[in-house]
Amino acid sequence: MTTNRVKPVENQLARELLNCSRDVIVALDEQGVILVVSDSISKTFGWSPEEVVGKAYGIFFDDSCVTSSNEYLAESFDSEPNPVQPLIAKRVDGSCFPCELSLHRLSSAETNACYLGVLRDVSALSESRKSLRNNLERLNKTRRALKRKEYELIASQKNVYRARQAKSEFLANMSHEFRTPMTTILGYTELLRENLYSANQEDLVEIIHKNGTHLLQIITDILDISKIEMGDFEILKHECSLETILQVVVSDFLKPAREKGISIFTQIAPDVPEQIITDPVRLEQVLWNLLSNAVKFTESGRIDVRVKVCPSPTKEQMVQFEIADTGIGIPTEKLKRIFEPFSQVDNSSSRNYGGTGVGLALCKKLVQLLGGHLSVQSKVDQGSLFCVSLDHHAEVHSQNREDAAGLVREVVSGVPQGQQPSGQKKQLGGAKGKVLLVDDTKEIRTLFSYMLNKMGIEVETASNGQEAVTLLNQFSLQRSAFDMILMDMQMPVMNGYEATQLIRQQGYQLPVIAITAHSLITDREKCLAAGCTEYLSKPIRYEVLHEVVHCYLSQNAAILSH
Ligand code: ADP
């Protein structure tokens, strides 16, 4: 502690207080001459207290701050308390550092000290401020980049949505374009079948029908796989008879297997429940595909279709369908990719077997949607075994089969000699009524008219929605004018959706059955929302049309009595 024209700080406590501060504490006279300075001056500035006492306090600052330090001194004389002043301090070696100075005017007249100053080295603080500023800047940059990414993401989401939308529309149109001619081809082939003159013609028509059905199968498989990929695929699970499913599937292959000299044996183990909860249409589709391959790729021997119950990794048991053949088998290295779309063991131009390579990929996806899994084991020239395992969710029904005592049930077996009957045709009853048939394709109008007439039903036709509405108005919406409307949904002038809405608004209460060549879930919902009673997807087989028409005509009496 050094003094000049002030009395030395004699009080021991006061001296220690002054010197224990890390800041530099200084007393100045009115002109800013240093009178007393704390020992911390040495550590902060490199001067000894004696070296600075008697000098102007501007010695502490860099030349750039001389003016501002003098102004601050003058201001501090009048204003009390004066705010802290940031300045650049200069050490004895000429190096600079940021500091903060606060000056207080002293009121005591005891000494000639006029100001008490506290000078603080804020280098560390300003370093952290600087790094905080940098971090803030970086943060802002990141925030801006994030915002940009968000916009990009939203834009690409919109693109994905638009692409999905376009794909969906394309699929719907494709579906329409494929199914409309297929409806005509298959429908007319069915008609031809019934009006044959010679056995020779029968063979020809059979060929057309077989190939048409095959083509439709391919189209359906490709559309189905696209629909699954788009998430536009409906699974409708309910309790259904396992035996019926097997019968439907196996009976389709008895004849082709017989022609190749192969036997199909079907066995259901006794502990397999009679009813399972699943989507029977989709399960049939899977088993149909697998059996179709088994027949296609087997030249001799046998095909076994077995159903059994097996334990599952979860608590529930699983029903397992096995389709085993003694065919050409699949090489081990090809097995890994066999469930990938368009994957075929032999895809050369000289291959022996036709096919698209879509069937197994579709089966895999369908089985997953059904809540199960599909696997395969195979050996070249020995045969293949495809297994479909499903959670059956249903208890074994109480009415046990006669043969449940341990015997295996044999449902449908095909033997080369062909003693087994193929799928029985349902006996169709007659129906009465008058139907308004609305479709823009002339061939379809002729076909469906023929089918309906065959059922004993009178038919009036219209070629678009507008014509249908006009016709209904002409008949003044008489309650008995038309017992049912069969409405194509995609038509020029006025489509089926608009026409149905209009007809419903005008008070028509009887069934309107939508007929569409699209087959997406959304179409079904759209048809029902427009006011349709039921939805049928083209191509429609005679039996299906008969069943629907018959069912709704018999319900009409109940509707009209209300
Ligand atoms: P596709 O039969 O139309 O070619 P799939 O997806 O049903 O298409 O089958 C893909 C390929 O898997 C077939 O081309 C064939 O090489 C092989 N494959 C499928 N099932 C069998 C089978 N039971 N025996 C031998 N090979 C089979």
Side-chain angles (χ1 to χ4, degrees):
M1 185 86 202
T2 307
T3 61
N4 186 18
R5 283 164 282 158
V6 283
K7 278 200 262 168
V9 182
E10 277 159 4
N11 178 304
Q12 173 75 15
L13 181 63
R15 212 170 36 237
E16 279 181 15
L17 266 177
L18 188 65
N19 286 332
C20 78
S21 166
R22 273 204 251 161
D23 297 334
V24 175
I25 298 172
V26 63
L28 307 174
D29 71 6
E30 202 176 332
Q31 273 72 48
V33 174
I34 302 164
L35 302 176
V36 181
V37 69
S38 61
D39 290 348
S40 53
I41 182 85
S42 322
K43 208 165 174 201
T44 313
F45 283 87
W47 275 301
S48 66
E50 292 77 18
E51 281 176 296
V52 294
V53 166
K55 297 203 169 126
Y57 98 122
I59 194 174
F60 292 143
F61 308 112
D62 180 53
D63 296 348
S64 61
C65 292
V66 173
T67 318
S68 47
S69 62
N70 287 337
E71 280 171 4
Y72 182 59
L73 187 77
E75 283 162 17
S76 303
F77 192 83
D78 301 323
S79 57
E80 184 65 38
N82 206 9
V84 171
Q85 173 75 23
L87 294 163
I88 305 292
K90 189 167 73 181
R91 297 190 188 90
V92 67
D93 62 4
S95 62
C96 295
F97 61 93
C99 73
E100 281 178 359
L101 174 68
S102 65
L103 281 183
H104 301 269
R105 207 183 133 208
L106 296 170
S107 47
S108 159
E110 248 182 71
T111 66
N112 52 352
C114 183
Y115 302 100
L116 189 68
V118 178
L119 200 146
R120 175 168 296 172
D121 179 351
V122 291
S123 335
L125 192 69
S126 91
E127 264 318 301
S128 14
R129 272 193 200 137
K130 209 159 117 195
S131 92
L132 196 70
R133 254 198 317 276
N134 286 344
N135 284 338
L136 253 165
E137 210 160 287
R138 267 208 298 275
L139 200 71
N140 279 337
K141 243 190 206 162
T142 317
R143 203 186 288 155
R144 282 197 297 274
L146 265 175
K147 202 84 207 148
R148 253 198 324 275
K149 280 269 165 273
E150 194 185 325
Y151 286 135
E152 281 168 20
L153 205 70
I154 291 171
S156 69
Q157 261 175 346
K158 276 186 189 156
N159 283 343
V160 169
Y161 177 76
R162 267 198 293 271
R164 271 180 65 102
Q165 195 83 340
K167 190 174 171 190
S168 175
E169 277 160 24
F170 171 72
L171 209 64
N173 286 339
M174 282 260 294
S175 180
H176 182 256
E177 292 306 314
F178 283 142
R179 281 170 193 271
T180 303
M182 288 314 295
T183 306
T184 318
I185 294 169
L186 291 178
Y188 278 97
T189 315
E190 269 190 28
L191 296 192
L192 266 178
R193 258 176 164 178
E194 286 165 18
N195 298 293
L196 292 170
Y197 296 111
S198 70
N200 189 28
Q201 282 177 333
E202 188 180 347
D203 286 348
L204 299 182
V205 171
E206 211 46 57
I207 291 169
I208 300 174
H209 195 262
K210 193 175 134 203
N211 282 282
T213 312
H214 181 59
L215 179 58
L216 180 65
Q217 184 62 41
I218 295 171
I219 293 168
T220 309
D221 280 0
I222 293 174
L223 289 174
D224 278 354
I225 212 159
S226 310
K227 281 192 275 177
I228 294 176
E229 275 167 8
M230 279 170 51
D232 191 355
F233 199 83
E234 199 172 25
I235 289 288
L236 292 172
K237 285 191 182 179
H238 57 85
E239 203 171 89
C240 49
S241 156
L242 203 143
E243 203 166 300
T244 310
I245 293 173
L246 281 189
Q247 253 164 359
V248 169
V249 175
V250 177
S251 60
D252 268 2
F253 293 98
L254 292 176
K255 193 165 167 237
R258 203 161 46 232
E259 282 166 3
K260 287 182 94 174
I262 312 163
S263 312
I264 302 181
F265 295 100
T266 310
Q267 295 175 341
I268 305 180
D271 55 344
V272 171
E274 260 182 44
Q275 305 278 326
I276 59 169
I277 296 178
T278 190
D279 183 331
V281 177
R282 299 308 170 191
L283 179 57
E284 263 175 45
Q285 197 175 348
V286 170
L287 298 176
W288 198 97
N289 259 308
L290 296 178
L291 197 52
S292 152
N293 278 344
V295 174
K296 180 159 80 174
F297 296 107
T298 304
E299 297 309 330
S300 62
R302 57 187 278 163
I303 294 170
D304 284 284
V305 180
R306 296 184 288 259
V307 190
K308 55 190 184 193
V309 171
C310 54
S312 90
T314 59
K315 265 183 262 150
E316 260 185 283
Q317 289 194 313
M318 296 190 115
V319 173
Q320 184 162 300
F321 299 81
E322 293 180 353
I323 295 180
D325 64 56
T326 53
I328 59 169
I330 303 167
T332 318
E333 71 277 8
K334 300 270 182 177
L335 274 178
K336 280 188 278 259
R337 305 190 54 204
I338 208 73
F339 295 115
E340 287 175 16
F342 315 114
S343 163
Q344 293 179 307
V345 171
D346 179 8
N347 52 11
S348 65
S349 55
S350 56
R351 64 196 178 145
N352 283 329
Y353 304 95
T356 56
V358 166
L360 286 183
L362 176 63
C363 286
K364 182 95 183 169
K365 286 182 191 289
L366 284 174
V367 174
Q368 279 165 355
L369 287 175
L370 291 176
H373 67 267
L374 172 62
S375 60
V376 60
Q377 294 167 32
S378 189
K379 278 217 166 82
V380 173
D381 294 335
Q382 289 186 26
S384 307
L385 169 66
F386 284 86
C387 291
V388 177
S389 311
L390 294 181
D391 281 338
H392 57 75
H393 299 298
E395 296 303 319
V396 179
H397 275 229
S398 50
Q399 70 269 36
N400 278 339
R401 303 278 170 93
E402 297 151 18
D403 51 359
L407 285 174
V408 163
R409 279 177 265 153
E410 195 126 316
V411 184
V412 191
S413 286
V415 290
Q417 286 72 28
Q419 297 100 325
Q420 293 290 336
S422 63
Q424 294 140 347
K425 282 218 163 191
K426 227 188 257 170
Q427 210 49 50
L428 302 173
K432 281 211 163 24
K434 188 168 178 181
V435 166
L436 172 58
L437 170 65
V438 194
D439 199 301
D440 60 321
T441 314
K442 187 167 169 276
E443 288 88 348
I444 300 265
R445 287 200 302 275
T446 316
L447 175 66
F448 284 180
S449 297
Y450 179 89
M451 288 182 173
L452 290 163
N453 287 336
K454 200 173 151 207
M455 295 172 205
I457 288 168
E458 236 184 287
V459 185
E460 194 79 45
T461 60
S463 61
N464 60 55
Q466 184 64 64
E467 268 184 32
V469 174
T470 313
L471 247 174
L472 274 169
N473 285 333
Q474 273 171 12
F475 281 91
S476 316
L477 299 172
Q478 288 164 28
R479 291 189 122 207
S480 56
F482 295 107
D483 301 290
M484 175 183 289
I485 300 173
L486 290 179
M487 179 75 81
D488 183 24
M489 302 314 271
Q490 291 79 34
M491 289 179 293
V493 187
M494 182 188 280
N495 64 34
Y497 302 99
E498 287 172 69
T500 307
Q501 266 168 351
L502 214 63
I503 288 166
R504 289 298 189 208
Q505 277 161 19
Q506 292 175 348
Y508 185 79
Q509 290 177 15
L510 296 175
V512 178
I513 311 293
I515 295 184
T516 156
H518 295 180
S519 61
L520 306 176
I521 313 171
T522 40
D523 290 322
R524 182 165 180 270
E525 286 159 6
K526 256 169 80 184
C527 293
L528 299 186
C532 295
T533 322
E534 181 60 274
Y535 163 97
L536 291 176
S537 165
K538 285 179 193 169
I540 301 163
R541 282 173 41 235
Y542 176 78
E543 284 162 28
V544 175
L545 184 67
H546 184 282
E547 200 169 315
V548 171
V549 169
H550 195 74
C551 160
Y552 282 100
L553 285 185
S554 55
Q555 284 176 16
N556 274 2
I559 300 172
L560 289 171
S561 65
H562 270 81

